[in-house]
Amino acid sequence: MTEHRTSDSATATPAGAAGFVPALEGMRALAAIAVMLTHTAFQTGQVDGSVLGRVWGRFDMAVALFFGLSGFLLWRAHARAAWSDGAPPPAGRYYRSRVVRIMPAYLVVAVVALALLPRSTPPSGSTWLGNLTLTQVFVPYSLTDGLTQMWSLSVEMLFYLVLPLAALAVVRLRGRAAHWRVPVLLGAAVVSLSWAWVGASLPLPRGVNHHNWLPAYVPWFVAGIVLAEMVFAPASRYARVRRVARRSVCWPAAAVVFAVIVTPLGGPVTLDTPAPWQFAVRIGLGGVLGFLLLAPLVLGPGSDRARRLGSGPMLALGRWSYGIFIWHLVVLTAVFPLFSIVPFGGSFVKVTALTLVFSVAVSALSYAWVEEPARRALARHEARRSAARPASSAASQAAPEQVTVG
């Protein structure tokens, strides 16, 4: 009887093969709140050399989860096409959806932060340009108040840009040759760890950090990409991985990996620059962390934990999670003077609660007034384009897409 259940578990359709996975919305919400927590902890002086201080500081590893989610959700169409020997998805619609998903709400936040937040000197023209175009990671000293977390969004946008090129690089690995895709992708992730040393050798201007560039975070994206490949591969190929993912071992293992990253092996939690080997360790383990957190949700057929993450409240927070991510530092900056709280002077619980409540409120408005209207406008545009094409072309459109960031 036990063997029969194990076999069924190994061959059941993974939840990640569906067009929409509710549990991923809840996981995205938790990641956005974790990023907010690490910033409120830092701004209230909780991030220090103590064990708890290092834990708060390492909640920034939620970015690995964001990148893994993007890798999984955006690579699914390419993985499905490769393992079924079908046609790859069109790039035009993909690029339009990424721009409309990211830029409207982001531009509102950027203008508010640059124009309204108090600062000792007004932002320079290069700071405005870098932040409005999401190229701030290449512009010296342009990570400014209220927008410092946007380095990761800049990395994400670059990933969106090169993803079709990466898919093209492995396009011949399809059908019978598709079994080579995961080894090639993992090999690319391992090679990318050398960026910790290669980037450090580049003659970059002061105020530009190679740690904030896309090559540094390839393993975090690949964690999700590999999961997408496993979802659409024949059930027998990665049966052992699927069985492990469906047991209650992945998240405890993720906790162990996180504990290792919290140690000095993962580098400093302050603004000090890590040694190249520390940065490489953190990035490599971050990829493992993202894989372990996402695998049970996408490789399994569903569980009680997945259902809780896909509950109504978590779905709502998931819809607003992008807004929470892009707005929370603006809100945090305003919380201190509005409530007469001294930065770096404690009051962690109070500051966190206030920041969370107001961030969720602003994010809900951002979703209703900016994000959702932009999405609907794009949907109408795509419907008009599809109506103008032959029926066969319209039928080839990809399945409904799940939101991929924040």
Side-chain angles (χ1 to χ4, degrees):
M1 181 66 70
T2 302
E3 293 180 358
H4 178 67
R5 285 198 300 268
T6 302
S7 178
D8 289 345
S9 175
T11 59
T13 301
F20 180 80
V21 185
L24 296 184
E25 291 291 279
M27 185 62 81
R28 182 182 295 105
L30 294 180
I33 293 171
V35 171
M36 185 209 72
L37 280 171
T38 201
H39 289 143
T40 57
F42 182 82
Q43 292 290 337
T44 55
Q46 306 303 305
V47 177
D48 52 29
S50 67
V51 174
L52 185 57
R54 293 190 65 86
V55 170
W56 289 126
R58 275 292 165 255
F59 269 41
D60 63 356
M61 293 304 295
V63 177
L65 190 53
F66 278 139
F67 288 176
L69 279 165
S70 291
F72 172 73
L73 293 169
L74 295 177
W75 192 264
R76 281 193 303 180
H78 297 284
R80 183 191 298 113
W83 287 98
S84 64
D85 207 18
R93 183 181 183 183
Y94 160 79
Y95 282 125
R96 290 190 296 272
S97 71
R98 293 301 87 214
V99 171
V100 171
R101 170 60 187 149
I102 297 300
M103 295 307 295
Y106 169 76
L107 289 174
V108 174
V109 177
V111 171
V112 168
L114 292 170
L116 300 181
L117 289 186
R119 58 191 80 229
S120 57
T121 58
S124 65
S126 62
T127 298
W128 272 91
L129 181 62
N131 281 277
L132 292 178
T133 58
L134 271 176
T135 58
Q136 59 268 63
V137 296
F138 305 111
V139 180
Y141 301 109
S142 63
L143 291 174
T144 186
D145 291 348
L147 299 173
T148 53
Q149 83 278 33
M150 300 304 185
W151 71 265
S152 62
L153 198 56
S154 179
V155 170
E156 185 123 16
M157 284 294 282
L158 287 172
F159 170 71
Y160 296 163
L161 181 65
V162 304
L163 182 140
L165 301 178
L168 185 63
V170 294
V171 72
R172 292 185 179 276
L173 301 179
R174 52 196 303 107
R176 292 184 177 181
H179 65 277
W180 286 105
R181 293 172 68 87
V182 167
V184 168
L185 291 164
L186 290 175
V190 172
V191 170
S192 74
L193 294 176
S194 65
W195 180 255
W197 291 269
V198 173
S201 68
L202 298 177
L204 300 178
R206 290 175 61 91
V208 175
N209 189 349
H210 70 283
H211 289 162
N212 293 336
W213 289 11
L214 174 61
Y217 299 97
V218 170
W220 294 7
F221 290 106
V222 167
I225 290 173
V226 166
L227 282 171
E229 294 289 337
M230 291 181 173
V231 161
F232 292 104
S236 59
R237 177 158 294 279
Y238 299 108
R240 182 174 299 178
V241 178
R242 292 186 184 186
R243 282 195 295 269
V244 171
R246 288 161 182 170
R247 296 170 182 164
S248 300
V249 296
C250 283
W251 288 358
V256 173
V257 172
F258 179 77
V260 175
I261 298 173
V262 166
T263 71
L265 290 174
V269 296
T270 59
L271 299 179
D272 295 332
T273 301
W277 69 267
Q278 290 175 315
F279 186 77
V281 167
R282 181 163 67 90
I283 296 301
L285 291 179
V288 176
L289 179 68
F291 184 93
L292 290 172
L293 289 173
L294 294 176
L297 303 181
V298 302
L299 294 180
S303 65
D304 290 340
R305 289 178 180 176
R307 282 187 286 273
R308 286 193 291 270
L309 284 171
S311 64
M314 295 305 295
L315 285 175
L317 288 174
R319 285 194 298 271
W320 303 331
S321 60
Y322 177 54
I324 294 172
F325 176 78
I326 62 177
W327 277 106
H328 76 271
L329 275 185
V330 172
V331 172
L332 176 60
T333 303
V335 160
F336 288 107
L338 285 176
F339 292 90
S340 301
I341 301 172
V342 178
F344 300 100
S347 301
F348 168 61
V349 174
K350 181 179 180 179
V351 170
T352 298
L354 290 169
T355 303
L356 178 60
V357 169
F358 286 108
S359 294
V360 169
V362 173
S363 301
L365 295 176
S366 175
Y367 181 83
W369 293 351
V370 182
E371 296 176 53
E372 185 64 6
R375 186 196 66 80
R376 290 178 178 174
L378 177 63
R380 290 193 296 269
H381 172 75
E382 296 296 346
R384 288 193 297 269
R385 287 175 61 91
S386 295
R389 296 172 185 163
S392 59
S393 176
S396 68
Q397 294 295 330
E401 172 190 22
Q402 182 158 21
V403 175
T404 57
V405 295

